[in-house]
């Protein structure tokens, strides 16, 4: 079983997730600059989620360049990742309307946390399935950034009950870490 | 005629179906944990439909790895399957709002029933079109799980008039059966 | 320039058009069989449009198996077809709400008429661009069904002012003609 | 790293952007010709945005036929372009409701301006990444049309405060310039 159709399906789902989030931005009611103001936090919020879907697409793209073997379980782990990411638009819209409240920030963080766990499960299972794959092994030696991100999400979730803005800052900070693509895999390929 | 564009189009439609279902989840009105509560049955419902679309995508993926010949009739049988699956989002949303009532449960079951019939028609027609295809023949010897699922949907539809929750449990039970991908085809390929 | 990316983009757009039409079906308000009744004409209407998008996808698929050369003008003619087809969902929804009125039926027919003209323009231009393509030439010898459909759309548009239901019957009748895929091209390939 | 998955993802996002814009067109409330009248400016507006997404798809298609090398930074520059284009639907809908006001016209122009800047960044970075690519070099010698478009967007933004209709005319004028596909690259390939 090749990875091409799995990649095509994931590309489709990620392309739709990244695009339907924009449906959460409501057309301003007035026609002046003032009516754009309430859109600004939502727009920043949309930008953050857009970057996160972009990060997952990039990392997914990198990972499936080294993964050679696919079976049914890997397809389902991939669907688990897509399921959590599919909840990002509604969570983004909830956050966009209540960005000073604890729970919308907690839920957003939990989706990021569960997505990162799902991505790690894909990596681990792919390595178990194909433990002779040297490129995959090399890319696993240094998982610092992934572990740090997952921990930072967990910290941000706890902090959200007292300082929701700090949590949002942490989410944005982790996103910045990842805009740099996964050099481990890039290196292991060259 | 190759299967590649048929697969690409089906992937596109299934990717969109699986993603627009999330548009049926409304952004909570409040900003506390309490306002998330009414979302829970809808979320479980969305998860079930997400799994069903995932199952059809996986089985479709498996089936079209062994199907070699495509003609116009097969394209239309494939579109028939996509048509029934395209009704899943609206049926999911109806069920999400009235999960204790008979008819939303009946309609949901009918869509599952008709989708399984359509999938069986694709399999049968593909075998008629290419009756020398040994991998396809092998994968047809054991259709127990498919027949059992179709029967369970029929039973669940009848039960829904008296015990809608039992029917929903049956839908979830069949989904669990299928999360294990179609080993018949996997074996016939190896 | 190859046709692969043009096909992929068209597949994407057609897959989205065929799927977002389902968003026009509103979730029933009640939970009984009665509340499904107002959905029936809309559902039939959705089915008709679903079949039309399916027809265009099938014929597009067939046509681009024989088209070898693509240039900028052909890309734009293809976008013209996609533009008209993209208006089908809103026209379908308008028709679903007023299926006894002249204008929704007229507009629906105009979209079908303009789509068929756009498809004919793609065929003609592709032949001019690559006039040595024998498969394309053969497929052009018999354009009876296409010309008949375009004429029937025109007749249906005129009739809609007096007998909208006759027009809808004609649209459905033309759809039935086309469910049989384009055998001309299938033959010219074999 | 090949360009194929980047192209597939971009095709998916562009296909969705071009199609969800149609969701901004509301189903007319009445059933007569009169009720179609308020739709006309919105429809023209949708047509203009449809053409713009078509232009970007065409130019993207042309550009990635000559680009051979891709790295993480290029993926992010591509996502930057997709981000600005993803704002086109909401901006189109805002413009459709207030096409005589300055700010909706200004915002629409800013999105076009930022998209053209992003596209230029992709071109420049791709050339830096692969400065031996002769096809890419040739296609860069004549960037008149791109520079002219970017300048015209800037002029239109300024003019929008006094003459919004002139700005809309300028946006439509630039679109006409680009319907002719990028002959530079077509030539450099032949």
């Amino acid at each position: 079983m090749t990875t091409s159709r799995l990649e095509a399906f994931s590309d489709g789902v990620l392309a739709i997730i990244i695009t339907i989030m924009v449906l959460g931005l409501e057309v301003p009611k007035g026609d002046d600059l003032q009516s754009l103001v309430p859109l600004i936090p939502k727009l920043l919020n949309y930008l953050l989620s857009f970057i996160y879907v972009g990060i997952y697409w990039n990392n997914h793209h990198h990972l499936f360049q080294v993964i050679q073997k696919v079976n049914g379980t890997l397809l389902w782990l991939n669907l688990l990742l897509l399921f959590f990411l599919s909840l990002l638009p509604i969570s983004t819209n909830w956050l966009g309307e209540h960005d000073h409240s604890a729970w919308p920030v907690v839920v957003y963080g939990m989706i990021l946390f569960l997505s990162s766990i799902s991505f790690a499960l894909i990596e681990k299972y792919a390595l178990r399935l194909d433990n002779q794959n040297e490129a995959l092994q090399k890319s696993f030696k240094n998982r610092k950034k992934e572990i740090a991100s997952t921990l930072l999400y967990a910290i941000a979730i706890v902090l959200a009950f007292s300082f929701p803005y700090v949590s949002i800052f942490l989410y944005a900070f982790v996103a910045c870490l990842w805009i740099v693509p996964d050099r481990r895999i890039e290196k292991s390929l060259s």
Side-chain angles (χ1 to χ4, degrees), chain A:
Chain A
M1 204 193 295
T2 60
T3 66
S4 64
R5 215 180 144 185
L6 186 146
E7 290 177 68
F9 183 72
S10 306
D11 279 357
V13 174
L14 292 173
I16 298 158
I17 291 172
I18 215 171
T19 322
I20 63 170
M21 276 192 302
V22 88
L23 295 175
L25 299 175
E26 275 164 47
V27 175
K29 283 195 185 121
D31 63 354
D32 53 355
L33 196 57
Q34 212 59 28
S35 59
L36 279 177
V37 174
L39 208 71
I40 292 169
K42 292 191 183 183
L43 195 66
L44 287 174
N45 197 13
Y46 167 56
L47 177 63
L48 180 62
S49 295
F50 189 97
I51 289 171
Y52 264 114
V53 179
I55 287 166
Y56 274 101
W57 179 72
N58 279 1
N59 289 344
H60 195 271
H61 183 153
H62 276 81
L63 181 61
F64 278 85
Q65 283 188 307
V66 292
I67 288 180
Q68 308 286 338
K69 283 189 190 168
V70 181
N71 71 355
T73 307
L74 199 66
L75 293 179
W76 281 106
L77 288 174
N78 189 55
L79 279 168
L80 190 71
L81 172 66
L82 295 178
F83 177 74
F84 290 126
L85 290 176
S86 81
L87 297 176
L88 211 54
I90 184 177
S91 174
T92 301
N93 295 344
W94 197 33
L95 187 57
E97 285 170 22
H98 308 277
D99 57 0
H100 54 287
S101 309
W103 280 99
V105 178
V106 167
V107 168
Y108 192 84
M110 280 167 68
I111 290 170
L112 294 180
F113 180 79
L114 291 167
S115 301
S116 74
I117 297 287
S118 307
F119 195 83
L121 287 175
I122 293 173
E123 289 180 303
K124 288 204 173 149
Y125 187 80
L127 190 59
R128 222 180 76 185
L129 195 67
D130 186 13
N131 53 18
Q132 306 298 324
N133 186 329
E134 280 181 39
L136 207 50
Q137 284 173 337
K138 266 190 209 168
S139 79
F140 260 73
K141 284 201 177 136
N142 188 350
R143 296 188 69 244
K144 276 177 202 164
K145 200 158 65 172
E146 283 178 45
I147 295 161
S149 307
T150 310
L151 284 176
L152 284 169
Y153 297 144
I155 291 167
I157 290 166
V158 175
L159 284 175
F161 292 101
S162 315
F163 316 100
Y165 283 115
V166 175
S167 302
I168 293 175
F169 171 81
L170 278 176
Y171 302 151
F173 173 76
V174 175
C176 293
L177 286 183
W178 280 101
I179 284 182
V180 182
D182 206 328
R183 298 217 181 277
R184 286 177 300 145
I185 294 176
E186 272 188 12
K187 272 180 200 157
S188 71
L189 277 173
S190 61

mmCIF file of all heavy atoms in Angstrom, chain A residues 53-67:
data_model
loop_
_atom_site.group_PDB
_atom_site.id
_atom_site.type_symbol
_atom_site.label_atom_id
_atom_site.label_comp_id
_atom_site.label_asym_id
_atom_site.label_seq_id
_atom_site.Cartn_x
_atom_site.Cartn_y
_atom_site.Cartn_z
ATOM 1 N N VAL A 53 -2.476 24.970 11.094
ATOM 2 C CA VAL A 53 -2.808 23.988 10.059
ATOM 3 C C VAL A 53 -1.646 23.914 9.055
ATOM 4 O O VAL A 53 -1.265 22.827 8.609
ATOM 5 C CB VAL A 53 -4.150 24.312 9.367
ATOM 6 C CG1 VAL A 53 -4.462 23.288 8.287
ATOM 7 C CG2 VAL A 53 -5.287 24.330 10.378
ATOM 8 N N GLY A 54 -1.063 25.077 8.747
ATOM 9 C CA GLY A 54 0.102 25.110 7.862
ATOM 10 C C GLY A 54 1.261 24.297 8.429
ATOM 11 O O GLY A 54 1.936 23.553 7.695
ATOM 12 N N ILE A 55 1.498 24.442 9.738
ATOM 13 C CA ILE A 55 2.572 23.676 10.396
ATOM 14 C C ILE A 55 2.305 22.182 10.272
ATOM 15 O O ILE A 55 3.188 21.404 9.901
ATOM 16 C CB ILE A 55 2.663 24.070 11.894
ATOM 17 C CG1 ILE A 55 3.275 25.469 12.039
ATOM 18 C CG2 ILE A 55 3.484 23.045 12.675
ATOM 19 C CD1 ILE A 55 3.097 26.072 13.427
ATOM 20 N N TYR A 56 1.045 21.766 10.557
ATOM 21 C CA TYR A 56 0.735 20.339 10.468
ATOM 22 C C TYR A 56 0.857 19.845 9.032
ATOM 23 O O TYR A 56 1.330 18.748 8.793
ATOM 24 C CB TYR A 56 -0.637 20.017 11.068
ATOM 25 C CG TYR A 56 -0.505 19.792 12.550
ATOM 26 C CD1 TYR A 56 -0.835 20.767 13.460
ATOM 27 C CD2 TYR A 56 0.029 18.597 13.018
ATOM 28 C CE1 TYR A 56 -0.658 20.570 14.825
ATOM 29 C CE2 TYR A 56 0.211 18.383 14.374
ATOM 30 C CZ TYR A 56 -0.133 19.371 15.268
ATOM 31 O OH TYR A 56 0.064 19.156 16.590
ATOM 32 N N TRP A 57 0.441 20.682 8.075
ATOM 33 C CA TRP A 57 0.586 20.262 6.686
ATOM 34 C C TRP A 57 2.074 20.082 6.343
ATOM 35 O O TRP A 57 2.466 19.074 5.759
ATOM 36 C CB TRP A 57 -0.094 21.245 5.716
ATOM 37 C CG TRP A 57 0.107 20.803 4.315
ATOM 38 C CD1 TRP A 57 -0.487 19.735 3.707
ATOM 39 C CD2 TRP A 57 1.014 21.346 3.358
ATOM 40 N NE1 TRP A 57 -0.012 19.596 2.425
ATOM 41 C CE2 TRP A 57 0.902 20.561 2.186
ATOM 42 C CE3 TRP A 57 1.906 22.435 3.368
ATOM 43 C CZ2 TRP A 57 1.647 20.828 1.035
ATOM 44 C CZ3 TRP A 57 2.637 22.692 2.233
ATOM 45 C CH2 TRP A 57 2.508 21.899 1.093
ATOM 46 N N ASN A 58 2.887 21.075 6.721
ATOM 47 C CA ASN A 58 4.328 21.000 6.439
ATOM 48 C C ASN A 58 4.960 19.767 7.075
ATOM 49 O O ASN A 58 5.692 19.020 6.420
ATOM 50 C CB ASN A 58 5.062 22.244 6.964
ATOM 51 C CG ASN A 58 4.944 23.419 6.021
ATOM 52 O OD1 ASN A 58 4.292 23.310 4.984
ATOM 53 N ND2 ASN A 58 5.558 24.527 6.368
ATOM 54 N N ASN A 59 4.663 19.548 8.367
ATOM 55 C CA ASN A 59 5.287 18.424 9.072
ATOM 56 C C ASN A 59 4.771 17.089 8.531
ATOM 57 O O ASN A 59 5.539 16.121 8.422
ATOM 58 C CB ASN A 59 5.052 18.545 10.582
ATOM 59 C CG ASN A 59 5.869 19.677 11.179
ATOM 60 O OD1 ASN A 59 6.816 20.168 10.557
ATOM 61 N ND2 ASN A 59 5.498 20.119 12.361
ATOM 62 N N HIS A 60 3.488 17.064 8.189
ATOM 63 C CA HIS A 60 2.873 15.867 7.591
ATOM 64 C C HIS A 60 3.570 15.546 6.261
ATOM 65 O O HIS A 60 3.927 14.400 5.979
ATOM 66 C CB HIS A 60 1.383 16.157 7.363
ATOM 67 C CG HIS A 60 0.551 14.941 7.088
ATOM 68 N ND1 HIS A 60 0.363 14.457 5.824
ATOM 69 C CD2 HIS A 60 -0.154 14.127 7.912
ATOM 70 C CE1 HIS A 60 -0.437 13.392 5.884
ATOM 71 N NE2 HIS A 60 -0.757 13.166 7.133
ATOM 72 N N HIS A 61 3.746 16.608 5.486
ATOM 73 C CA HIS A 61 4.445 16.520 4.197
ATOM 74 C C HIS A 61 5.861 15.953 4.391
ATOM 75 O O HIS A 61 6.272 15.031 3.695
ATOM 76 C CB HIS A 61 4.491 17.936 3.628
ATOM 77 C CG HIS A 61 5.099 18.050 2.266
ATOM 78 N ND1 HIS A 61 4.760 19.061 1.401
ATOM 79 C CD2 HIS A 61 6.016 17.318 1.604
ATOM 80 C CE1 HIS A 61 5.441 18.917 0.276
ATOM 81 N NE2 HIS A 61 6.212 17.884 0.374
ATOM 82 N N HIS A 62 6.575 16.499 5.372
ATOM 83 C CA HIS A 62 7.938 16.035 5.636
ATOM 84 C C HIS A 62 7.938 14.562 6.078
ATOM 85 O O HIS A 62 8.703 13.748 5.595
ATOM 86 C CB HIS A 62 8.608 16.889 6.720
ATOM 87 C CG HIS A 62 9.228 18.136 6.192
ATOM 88 N ND1 HIS A 62 8.491 19.267 5.926
ATOM 89 C CD2 HIS A 62 10.512 18.436 5.858
ATOM 90 C CE1 HIS A 62 9.292 20.213 5.460
ATOM 91 N NE2 HIS A 62 10.527 19.745 5.404
ATOM 92 N N LEU A 63 7.050 14.247 7.028
ATOM 93 C CA LEU A 63 7.028 12.907 7.606
ATOM 94 C C LEU A 63 6.718 11.849 6.552
ATOM 95 O O LEU A 63 7.384 10.800 6.495
ATOM 96 C CB LEU A 63 5.992 12.858 8.738
ATOM 97 C CG LEU A 63 5.864 11.526 9.472
ATOM 98 C CD1 LEU A 63 7.164 11.137 10.148
ATOM 99 C CD2 LEU A 63 4.747 11.598 10.510
ATOM 100 N N PHE A 64 5.705 12.131 5.702
ATOM 101 C CA PHE A 64 5.313 11.116 4.724
ATOM 102 C C PHE A 64 6.271 11.036 3.532
ATOM 103 O O PHE A 64 6.059 10.245 2.626
ATOM 104 C CB PHE A 64 3.855 11.286 4.303
ATOM 105 C CG PHE A 64 2.918 10.669 5.298
ATOM 106 C CD1 PHE A 64 2.500 11.378 6.414
ATOM 107 C CD2 PHE A 64 2.519 9.352 5.163
ATOM 108 C CE1 PHE A 64 1.682 10.800 7.358
ATOM 109 C CE2 PHE A 64 1.699 8.758 6.100
ATOM 110 C CZ PHE A 64 1.280 9.485 7.207
ATOM 111 N N GLN A 65 7.294 11.883 3.537
ATOM 112 C CA GLN A 65 8.365 11.682 2.562
ATOM 113 C C GLN A 65 9.294 10.558 3.002
ATOM 114 O O GLN A 65 9.915 9.910 2.174
ATOM 115 C CB GLN A 65 9.164 12.968 2.351
ATOM 116 C CG GLN A 65 8.411 13.945 1.478
ATOM 117 C CD GLN A 65 9.265 15.114 1.115
ATOM 118 O OE1 GLN A 65 9.845 15.775 1.974
ATOM 119 N NE2 GLN A 65 9.379 15.399 -0.175
ATOM 120 N N VAL A 66 9.387 10.329 4.313
ATOM 121 C CA VAL A 66 10.239 9.235 4.793
ATOM 122 C C VAL A 66 9.449 7.953 5.095
ATOM 123 O O VAL A 66 10.003 6.871 5.044
ATOM 124 C CB VAL A 66 11.114 9.640 6.015
ATOM 125 C CG1 VAL A 66 12.151 10.659 5.600
ATOM 126 C CG2 VAL A 66 10.282 10.184 7.153
ATOM 127 N N ILE A 67 8.152 8.100 5.403
ATOM 128 C CA ILE A 67 7.335 6.895 5.640
ATOM 129 C C ILE A 67 7.126 6.169 4.312
ATOM 130 O O ILE A 67 6.761 6.784 3.315
ATOM 131 C CB ILE A 67 5.976 7.261 6.282
ATOM 132 C CG1 ILE A 67 6.163 7.689 7.744
ATOM 133 C CG2 ILE A 67 4.997 6.091 6.200
ATOM 134 C CD1 ILE A 67 4.889 8.078 8.455
#
